[in-house]
Amino acid sequence: MAFLEIDRLSKTFGNVRILKEINLEIEKGGFLVLVGPSGCGKSTLLNCIAGLEPITSGEIRINGRNVAGLHPSKRDIAMVFQSYALYPNMTVAGNIAFGMEIRGVPKLERDKAIARVAETLQIGHLLDRKPSQLSGGQRQRVAMGRALVRDPQVFLFDEPLSNLDAKLRVDMRTEIKRLHHRVKTTIVYVTHDQIEAMTLATKIAVLRDGVLQQFGTPAEIYNNPANMFVADFMGSPAMNLLAASVEGGSEGDVRVSIDRPNAPPLSLPVNGVGEALRPFAGRNVVFGIRPEALTDPDGADRNAHSVVEGDCLIDVVEPAGSDTFAVTRLGGKEVVARLRADARLQPGQTARLAFNLDKAVFFDPSDQSRIA
Amino acid sequence: MTALPFDSPETPHAHDMGQDTGRGWRITNRIVIYGLLVLFAVLYLMPLFVMLVTSFKTMDEIQGGNMLALPQSPTLEPWAKAWGETCVGLTCAGIKGYFWNSLKMVVPAVLISTLLGALNGYVLTKWRFRGHNLVFGLMLFACFIPFQSVLLPMATILGSIGRFGVTLQNAFGTSLGLGNPTVNLVFVHVVYGLGFTTLFFRNYYEAFPSELVKAAQIDGASFFQIFRRIMLPNSLPIFVVTVIYQFTNIWNDFLFASAYAGTGESMPMTVALNNVVNTSTGVVEYNVNMAAAMIAALPTLLVYVVAGRYFVRGLMAGAVKG
Ligand SMILES: Nc1ncnc2c1ncn2[C@@H]1O[C@H](COP(=O)(O)OP(=O)(O)O)[C@@H](O)[C@H]1O
Ligand SMILES: [Mg+2]
C-alpha cells in the first residue's frame, strides 16, 4: 500500500472544475513531483493535500488514514510556500518555533529544536534577524527550516525555488535532493520547471488543465510520453514533433515519409513499431524525436538497434559549448538536432544526420494520443 | 508635486515655442502656482493664527487693538481660566471636566471600533464565506448613511438600552453602565464608525498575503491566534490611519454628543465649548473662548503630529493595493 494516496480527487471553485478525477500515489520516502504549466491546478492539489482547501469529491489517504475533514495542523505535514510566507513580525528563530509555541512545547525543547535545524541548514547566524533582513536564498532556507522542525510524515513544497535567481536555484535544488536523501521523508513537490521535476523526482505527475496527463518515473515520462502534451512539455530543448505520413499495405514493411525542402521526402523504416502504425497507412501521424536522438552519424548511440541516416538542409547552427545544436526543416517544422561540440557544420549546407528510431515515438494528430 | 507637469519638457508649451520662451513660461507658471499655494495656506492658517494670538492677549488689548497683532504682553491667564474657572452654563469650574469626559468617551470608542473593524476585515478577506461580498457592500453602505437620519432611531434604541439598564439595576444592583450617557456615546460611535474601520482594514487585508494565514494554520494557530499573532502585528500603518480617522471624527463630533449627552455632567468637550461661548456674563471673553477652543483642538493636533507620518503611508497602501 502506498504511503500517500490520492483517489479520484476532484475540486471545484464555484462552477469551475479545477481538478478532475486525479489518481496518484507515492511510496514512503518517495519524491513525487507535480509538474505542469502555470494555472493547471498544482497548487490547488497541494493545498488539498495540506487541508487548506476542502475537496469536492474523492479521497486523500496518508499512511492509510483518510484525512478528509482533518485540520491542516493535524495531518502531520509541513509546507514550504512559493513566497516563503515567513511571518514578517517574528525573528527567524520565532518563525521556526511558532508551530511548537502554539502546540505548547516548552521553551527549552524549542530552543534545542531550533538549534538542530539551524545546524542542518547553516542558518545559525541568522536566528535573530527579521525576514526583511534576509536575502532570497536565506529566506528560502528559513522556510525550509520551519518545515523541517516539525519532522512531519509528508513535506509539501510549492514551487520553492521559483523566486531565486538561476544559479542559486541550481544550488538549492541539489541541496533539497541531499536533504531528501538524509531525512528520507516523503515529499510532494510542485514546480512548473521540467528540469527540476526530472532531477528531483522518483515519480512525476504531469498535469494540464486539472487533468492528470501521465504518472510515472522520470525515465518513463521522458522516454515514453503518453501524449503530445507530455512529450512537448518535458525536456529541453523540447522534443521535435513533426508531420509524417505512414506508408505500407496490410503486410510487409511499414515506413514513414517526412517532407524535406528541396529534396524528395525522407523515408524511414519503422518496423519496430510497424504493427501499431499499420492502421494509419496512408494517413498522417506526428513523429516525435528528441534532439539527442537526432545526431551526427559519428555521435549516434552505438547500442541502438535501428539508426537510419538521412541528408538534411541545415538552417541554423547554435554552438552551446558542450554540444552544437543544428536547426533543420522537416515535415514543415523546425527540427533541432543535437550534435557533438566539434561537429563541423555550416548553415545552408546539407548534412547527414542519424535518426535513432529506437527513441522515436508516434502520436495520433486527431487526439494527440500516443500510437507507438 | 502639483508643479510637476509644468517642469516636464514634454508639455506642449515647451515644444511649440523656443527654448527661451519655454523657460519664461516655466518660471511664470511656478510663480502663479506657488503664489496660489501660499494664498490658500494663509487663508487656511489665518483663523488658527487669530485664535492663537487672541488666546494669549488680555481683554484690554483685544478691545483696543488689531485682531492680527501679536500679543503685547503675552499671558497664560486665559488658558488657566478656560481650563479651571470659566462658566459652562451655570457651573463655573472650567472645561477640564468635559475634557476628561471626551477622553473617556473617545478612547474606548476608537479602540473598540478599530479592533472590530480589523476583525471584520480579517474575516471578509481571509475567512470568506458565501455572501461575503454582500456583507461588505452593506458595511460600505453604512459609510454613506448621513448622521441626521440615524439620530431618532438611535435615540429609541438608546432609550431601550437605558430601560434595560434600569431593570438590571433593580434586579442585580448594577446597570453595567447601560444608560450612562458616556457609554451611550461610545456605543453610537462604535456602530457608526464600524463601516469606515471595516472598509480600511478590508482593503489593507485584501493585499495581505494569504499564504501567511495558511502557514499559520499548518502551524496549528487558531482563528484568534492568527488574528492576534500574525494579522495585528503586521497592520501598523492601517491601524494608525484608522485611529487618526476615528479619533478626529469622534473627538470633534457635536451632533451625537449634543443629542445624546447634551446636558449635565457627562457632556463632551465639543458641547461644553459651545456652552462656554454661549454663556453670557456681560462682556464676551474672547481670549478665554479662544483658549478653550485651542484646548479642545489640541488632542487631534497631537494625534496627527505623533502618528501623521504613518497616515499618508497607510492611506497609500490601502489605496494602491486595495
Ligand atoms: N480560491 C480560488 N477561487 C477560484 N479560483 C481559483 C482559486 N484558487 C485558484 N483558482 C483557479 O484554479 C486554477 C489553478 O490554480 P493553481 O492551483 O494556483 O495553479 P498552479 O499552481 O498550477 O499555477 C487557476 O485557474 C486559478 O485561477
Ligand atoms: Mg501555483
Side-chain angles (χ1 to χ4, degrees), chain A residues 83 86-87 89 101-102 150, chain B residues 211-212 216 218-219 229 234:
Chain A
S83 63
L86 300 178
Y87 311 124
N89 53 310
E101 201 186 322
I102 296 288
R150 288 184 66 104
Chain B
E211 289 194 341
L212 287 181
I218 290 180
D219 272 337
R229 301 287 307 273
N234 294 305

Side-chain angles (χ1 to χ4, degrees), chain A residues 38-39 41-44 82 158-159 190:
Chain A
S38 174
K42 307 178 297 288
S43 298
T44 306
Q82 185 169 5
D158 192 353
E159 309 213 15
V190 163

